[in-house]
Each structure stands twice: as C-alpha cells, then as structure tokens.
Amino acid sequence: MRVFLTGATGFIGSAIVRELIDAGHQVLGLARSDAGAKSLIAAGAQVHRGTLEDLESLRSGAAAADGVIHAAFIHDFNNYGPAAEADRRAIETLGAELAGSDRPLVVTSGTLVLQGRGPLLTEEDKANPNFPRKSEDALAMLAQGVHIVIVRLPPSVHGDGDHGFVPALINIARQKGVSAYIGDGLNRWPAVHRLDAAHLYRLALEKGPAGARYHGIADEGMPVRDIAEVIGKRLSLPVVAKSPKEAAEHFGWIANFFAMDSPASSVQTQKQLGWRPTHPSLITDMDGSSYFEVAQEDSAA
C-alpha cells in the first residue's frame, strides 16, 4: 500500500514511517522543510512537500495514495484554537479527496478530548463537544463514503526524542528547584511508547473498519505523583505538593493538563486488532538517562 503520512518527520510520525516501511508499505511523507525531506529520504520514504495549512498539498498527497494517516498537529498551546481549526480543515480536505474510494483515512485524536462516565475511558466514549480540537468530527464524513478510522493517543506518548509534557515537567523542575504534583497527586495519566503507538497506526490502517475508534493505551493510568517522584529522584530535588491555586503559577500552561484525571483502557483495541504494547512503561522509560539528557539540552538552548 502507498500511504500518505502527515506529520511524517515528527516524534510519532517518524516511528510510523519505520513501522510502515518495515511492513512492506511505501510511504509518501509530508515535509515542510529541506531538513525534513532529507530525513524522510534517509528513512526510505518518498517526499511530498507542503504544510498542514497548504490544503492543496494535502489534497494532492491523498490523491496519490492508497491510504492516509493524519498524524500532524500544530502543538501551539498558546494558540490552541487556531491549531485545532487548522487540523479540522486538513481532515476535511483529506476526507473530501478520499470520499467514495474505500481508501482508509486514519485520523489522530486524544483521550483528553473524551467525556467518559466510567472508571476508565473506553473506545465507546465520545468526544466532548466543548473541547477545541474537533478531529473526531471526521466521523460525520462516513455519510459521504469516507473510510474514517480514529486513533486516540494518551497525553504522554513517550520514548527517545519526546518533547511533550514530560520534558516540560522536567524543565519546570530544573527551573523551580522542586519536582511538584498537584493536590494529592493521585490523578492519573495514561501513556504509550511511541513505537507501540506506531504499530497501532499500521494495524488501524490495514484492518480498521470504517467508523472504528482505537485507543493507543499501554499504561491505563499513571499517578502523576509517581512521575514527579522519578523527576525528583533523577534531578536530586525535593518532591512537593502544590495546591490547585499554586499550580497555575508553578506549572504555567501545563497546569490544567497535569491536574486531569483521565485513566483510559485499550482492552477493546487489543481484542479487535491483536495489538499488544511491548515497549517500556512511562516510568521505566523516564528512569532511563536519555529523558534527562534531552531535557537538560533543551533547557540550555
């Protein structure tokens, strides 16, 4: 299968490139820079120049493919509304090109957008209509004959090269001189290793029926206090609790995310696709030296 992949040069996307090529697929990766194009060529992929906002480049990339994985997102939390709108337009454009063809379109969502009522968020839970990111609105395109499949990722997708929430927490601890959690620290984050996530994307592309929703969850819910304790241990810093009122000043933009309790399950996903996470857990991964080496380099940049 020839697969058009957005986000192909990113932290998760680069792992998806390797996963697809190793399974015998051809990859047409979206690249916005010369450096990105070189990295795709080095990985054995073909290059499609363009950006997430260049809708014609997305349309032509989808037109040249047997299937599409949309893994790109503009991670600007200071301008989250416009980033979410760019994502919505991109998905709409990709879907319009694939409509009626039965070529799969795998769309990325997240467990944080869900409004669940049970002890664990499941694949059956629906997206919160008030959340700015509207990627799951793509399911409405089923009526236009678009073969939509949703992959939901947890707030922490970890592994070498991670530049998301956990490195941000490590850098905050370095700057503040303490590793903190909010309240009692028992609120839970689900997590998955990026290589396990990449494997799920491939299975969703190859096997997912139209309308399916899958969860890339390995750790169902890691107490955030455990995350703070690993950071404190590795940086030789005290581990302290912050009240919800203190959290905004201490953590900045990440405070609301770090306070969420959003444990999630992938039981249905594992049963339906035969997906089994095999890589290290978040805590095991964090306790390796690479996380703190990367964080130190970033904080010094």
Side-chain angles (χ1 to χ4, degrees):
M1 185 184 297
R2 191 172 196 232
V3 183
F4 177 48
L5 174 62
T6 72
T9 61
F11 172 62
I12 300 171
S14 58
I16 298 173
V17 169
R18 186 76 271 146
E19 173 75 24
L20 291 172
I21 291 175
D22 286 349
H25 297 292
Q26 295 180 335
V27 175
L28 179 64
L30 184 68
R32 62 183 177 182
S33 68
D34 291 342
K38 289 179 181 178
S39 70
L40 286 173
I41 292 170
Q46 296 175 318
V47 176
H48 184 82
R49 293 302 292 262
T51 67
L52 200 58
E53 297 97 333
D54 182 352
L55 300 184
E56 175 54 29
S57 72
L58 298 181
R59 187 206 63 76
S60 61
D66 303 310
V68 176
I69 296 176
H70 176 51
F73 190 79
I74 301 170
H75 292 282
D76 184 352
F77 291 99
N78 292 317
N79 295 284
Y80 195 78
E85 175 60 17
D87 184 54
R88 186 196 65 78
R89 290 195 302 266
I91 294 169
E92 186 178 78
T93 299
L94 294 167
E97 180 58 38
L98 299 175
S101 68
D102 202 37
R103 290 176 289 163
L105 170 57
V106 180
V107 171
T108 303
S109 182
T111 59
L112 289 182
V113 312
L114 304 182
Q115 51 179 12
R117 298 180 181 178
L120 292 172
L121 296 168
T122 75
E123 294 85 346
E124 295 178 358
D125 288 317
K126 295 183 179 180
N128 185 338
N130 298 318
F131 200 89
R133 188 170 181 175
K134 305 296 184 183
S135 51
E136 297 205 21
D137 285 359
L139 291 169
M141 291 193 289
L142 290 167
Q144 283 77 55
V146 183
H147 188 123
I148 291 283
V149 178
I150 303 292
V151 169
R152 293 168 173 167
L153 297 177
S156 180
V157 180
H158 55 93
D160 289 345
D162 184 1
H163 51 269
F165 286 125
V166 169
L169 292 170
I170 292 170
N171 285 335
I172 290 169
R174 288 184 185 279
Q175 294 162 12
K176 302 288 186 175
V178 297
S179 179
Y181 55 87
I182 302 170
D184 60 11
L186 297 181
N187 58 298
R188 296 152 295 175
W189 269 13
V192 69
H193 194 282
R194 74 179 188 123
L195 299 182
D196 287 322
H199 184 51
L200 176 58
Y201 275 99
R202 177 171 69 81
L203 294 178
L205 177 80
E206 295 172 345
K207 300 181 179 181
R213 295 180 296 228
Y214 298 119
H215 279 192
I217 303 296
D219 299 320
E220 288 187 345
M222 186 69 60
V224 298
R225 186 167 63 188
D226 291 358
I227 296 172
E229 287 175 348
V230 171
I231 294 172
K233 182 185 76 171
R234 291 305 307 270
L235 297 181
S236 299
L237 294 174
V239 179
V240 303
K242 294 290 182 180
S243 70
K245 184 177 181 180
E246 295 170 324
E249 180 179 353
H250 182 85
F251 291 105
W253 65 269
I254 203 175
N256 288 336
F257 294 99
F258 202 42
M260 289 182 175
D261 183 45
S262 58
S265 167
S266 62
V267 170
Q268 294 179 35
T269 296
Q270 295 191 43
K271 181 179 179 180
Q272 292 166 12
L273 291 180
W275 177 70
R276 298 289 184 273
T278 60
H279 290 85
S281 69
L282 173 59
I283 292 300
T284 300
D285 208 9
M286 284 181 62
D287 215 8
S289 62
S290 63
Y291 250 98
F292 293 88
E293 290 170 357
V294 170
Q296 188 172 25
E297 289 168 4
D298 289 347
S299 64

